[in-house]
Amino acid sequence: MRVVGLHPGVLVATSRVFQTACTIVRDGDECLVIDSPVLPDELDMLPALLEQAGFPFSGLLATHGDWDHLLGRLAFAGAALGVAETTAARLTAEPGDAARRLRAFDDELYLERSAPLSLGQVQALPVPGQLDVGSQTIELHPTEGHVADGMALWLPWAGVLVAGDFLSPVEIPMISRGGSRSAYLATLERLRPLVEEADHVVAGHGGAIDAARALAILREDVAYLEGLPDSKLPLARRSDEQKRIHGENLERL
Ligand SMILES: [Zn+2]
């Protein structure tokens, strides 16, 4: 797991699997953990990481309802999980889905965990909306298009945008179940002014990147989506796995 500091109150831990990014935000005596790393040893390390940094844990947040972002409770048992209203509705409609997908992933890699995943108390947050951490205010922005649910978190005092599964340097735009090209493009336009104002963007897969790179990725992603079904894959995202995702996008068009 790679850990970088973006601001005295913002750490990003990036998982060795899927490069799933976990953003840790602290102000005063509050600290929120957004999304999660994936591997058991990485999750085990999180509480110690917070303690070392002197960040007092307050609660969990998730950018959207895909299973690999929802594992925070394996590190902080009993913690409440705050998500967008759209994500809360999805989690209610698909009870146990994240736990099942995690089990399938673990089975494939022969991974063992000390406990199964239970999401516990899920708090639905109005999005667009705001959320306080210490004396600072996080802005919540809706991000549909990848899936049907989700939010991006804008931390204006730190110049950090936590984008969820958008603006990834390692993954092309993925239109999954519940997503759509038009909604994805609308989300990118909603994120654009925030990226222009940001110092750093945290991509749900790929971790922290600087704003100039995020803007370049945004332009590539708009071109890719607008060019479908005939678009070429962005130069840095042309592996067999990205070609497979591209094939799935074409099926969903
Ligand atoms: Zn994801």
Side-chain angles (χ1 to χ4, degrees), residues 215-236:
L215 267 183
I217 290 166
L218 193 150
R219 279 192 289 271
E220 285 182 353
D221 288 357
V222 168
Y224 168 77
L225 290 162
E226 285 182 340
L228 285 175
D230 303 316
S231 16
K232 283 218 169 68
L233 297 194
L235 206 54

Side-chain angles (χ1 to χ4, degrees), residues 139-158:
E139 287 177 23
L140 310 176
H141 296 268
T143 54
E144 60 286 313
H146 161 52
V147 283
D149 65 289
M151 62 179 177
L153 298 92
W154 169 233
L155 286 43
W157 76 96

